[in-house]
Amino acid sequence: MSARMKIPAEGFVYSRAGRGSELRCERVPLTEIAARIGTPTFVYSKRAIEERVRRLRRLIPDCAIYFAAKACGNIHVLRLLGKAGCGADIVSGGELFRAGLAGISPKKIVFSGVGKTQGEILEALKAGIHLFNVESLGELLTIERIAYREGIKTKAALRINPNIHPKTHPHISTGLRGNKFGLSRGELEEVYRVIPRLRRVRVCGLSCHIGSQITSAEPLEQAWRKLLEETARAPFDATHLDLGGGLGISYAGEKTLSLERYASLIRRVFRGKNFALGIEPGRAILGPTAILLTSAVSVKKRGAGPRGASASSGRSFLVVDAAMNDLARPALYGAVHPIFAVERAARAHQKRFDVVGPVCESADAFESGALLAEPSPGSLFAISNCGAYAMSMSSQYNARPRAAEVLVEGARYRVIRERETYADLVERELL
Ligand code: LLP
């Protein structure tokens, strides 16, 4: 099957429309959303989100799921995930705030991250979160000091750095010795010596997170086995094990671990072991549940030029109204998010297009050589797999208001974040 025959995300289908077909999210035609809300707009399928959580929970019922809020922080999405049974993995006071607004119980929140400030630690202590995933001796002592001052008790898990290559993009690899994350062997020994003196922090577990968009089992298995080895060495009762996030998804047909294989790996590695297990998935839950809806702005034909063939000879640029400020992943990691035409005529002649955004950088490109029917201004496209690390990484670069977000449920949809306005661009500037 060619990429064009597939769908751009779960919960999306092509259905017959006139002599061709059109893309819908659940039962809502994307043409309708574009007409009413405009573009660019992120469109999420509620059913797809709920199904992915349900699948994962059914596969590993005894494992707590802390959704990595950095992947998508919209409070409606977080609320949905909370209702489906997820807690949250947060890395900032802002994410704690969002999770709180979404009604996620603090008892289901773990606080990760390499640079928790004293202010953030205080906020988390006051909120009564489940535990801190501690990154350094200094951080542990700071938590103890603030907790002592405030008369609050809390729990901590020590994040180990297992020095394992996750076989992913170097920017999102976090479990190698040279990365800033986790405690090395030597640092762990130092922490172990201090634990008996702690009065307010109960160190009760270990955690690890070696990277993101991991597509094979071996690095995960190796990291988890190192966690297990460490529990045997640790001079405290390690009852909690946090296995991190990192499970990859298939963006453009590449092989990855299914939720099923991932879950069976967890079951195999931890079978018969009596730990309270948790995972921190972000992408694997939300990545495949949304698209970025965008319109064609113009087509720039690039002729062969006087000297004949060049790399781009005969190619055309399709300029769309979404850009790297809406979806930074292609520019940052060379990520591929294939583009799908929303309306497809039967037997249309297709050509290759380099799909680009309007931002003034050549890195603002979505797909090279996409096979599409000749678009005209206003033709609609869906940029695939935009549920995770898309809106949450967006910016206002080039003074572009952030896109709207829409959640579809069956035949209904609602705006869960309005499109920003020009006034939003300057809201905090003192005029
Ligand atoms: N836990 C911790 C401690 C993390 O640092 C992360 C992600 C996760 C869990 C969730 O990882 P996931 O299951 O989503 O792979 N912006 C990048 C991804 C950065 C991931 C950072 N940490 C991207 O767009 O690919």
Side-chain angles (χ1 to χ4, degrees), residues 41-290:
T41 294
F42 289 97
V43 182
Y44 300 83
S45 160
K46 181 167 186 262
R47 196 187 65 218
I49 296 172
E50 288 173 339
E51 263 178 30
R52 290 188 75 78
V53 176
R54 207 176 301 133
R55 245 169 91 196
L56 201 50
R57 291 194 70 202
R58 208 181 300 130
L59 291 161
I60 35 175
D62 298 329
C63 182
I65 302 175
Y66 303 107
F67 174 72
K70 64 173 81 64
C72 180
N74 185 292
I75 52 179
H76 296 265
V77 173
L78 292 180
R79 188 174 296 135
L80 191 63
L81 292 167
K83 284 189 181 152
C86 297
D89 165 53
I90 59 160
V91 289
S92 67
E95 288 185 356
L96 178 64
F97 176 67
R98 282 186 172 281
L101 287 178
I104 294 185
S105 162
K107 298 269 162 288
K108 288 179 152 189
I109 293 181
V110 297
F111 194 172
S112 302
V114 75
K116 305 172 188 77
T117 65
Q118 296 189 22
E120 288 173 324
I121 290 170
L122 178 60
E123 287 163 27
L125 284 171
K126 284 188 168 164
I129 64 162
H130 175 47
L131 60 72
F132 291 85
N133 281 323
V134 167
E135 291 265 358
S136 67
L137 175 59
E139 181 190 318
L140 183 61
L141 295 177
T142 303
I143 299 172
E144 166 73 11
R145 183 168 49 75
I146 299 175
Y148 191 83
R149 190 186 71 204
E150 299 293 321
I152 298 172
K153 287 196 168 162
T154 194
K155 296 198 285 294
L158 306 175
R159 176 169 173 179
I160 66 166
N161 178 321
N163 192 28
I164 283 165
H165 202 301
K167 299 187 195 141
T168 184
H169 192 283
H171 291 184
I172 49 177
S173 151
T174 51
L176 283 167
R177 192 173 294 134
N179 298 137
K180 66 184 172 185
F181 300 94
L183 295 147
S184 65
R185 181 71 272 126
E187 289 165 322
L188 268 177
E189 296 300 339
E190 272 185 88
V191 170
Y192 289 166
R193 282 196 288 275
V194 166
I195 287 177
R197 300 211 302 269
L198 302 176
R199 292 291 164 265
R200 296 288 165 172
V201 183
R202 182 162 70 84
V203 179
C204 65
L206 296 165
S207 70
C208 71
H209 171 79
I210 58 169
S212 194
Q213 186 53 13
I214 298 169
T215 54
S216 58
E218 303 80 62
L220 291 168
E221 174 162 1
Q222 285 171 21
W224 297 342
R225 293 211 180 277
K226 286 226 172 168
L227 264 188
L228 279 176
E229 277 169 30
E230 199 56 44
T231 60
R233 202 180 282 139
F236 60 90
D237 193 15
T239 51
H240 289 60
L241 289 187
D242 183 327
L243 315 184
L247 175 60
I249 61 169
S250 179
Y251 281 100
E254 61 272 42
K255 269 192 82 164
T256 183
L257 281 180
S258 62
L259 293 180
E260 283 69 20
R261 284 188 50 213
Y262 174 74
S264 75
L265 184 65
I266 294 180
R267 290 197 305 266
R268 182 160 58 76
V269 174
F270 297 97
R271 178 167 301 134
K273 313 251 187 310
N274 196 19
F275 295 105
L277 293 181
I279 52 172
E280 304 169 351
R283 188 192 320 265
I285 289 186
L286 224 65
T289 65

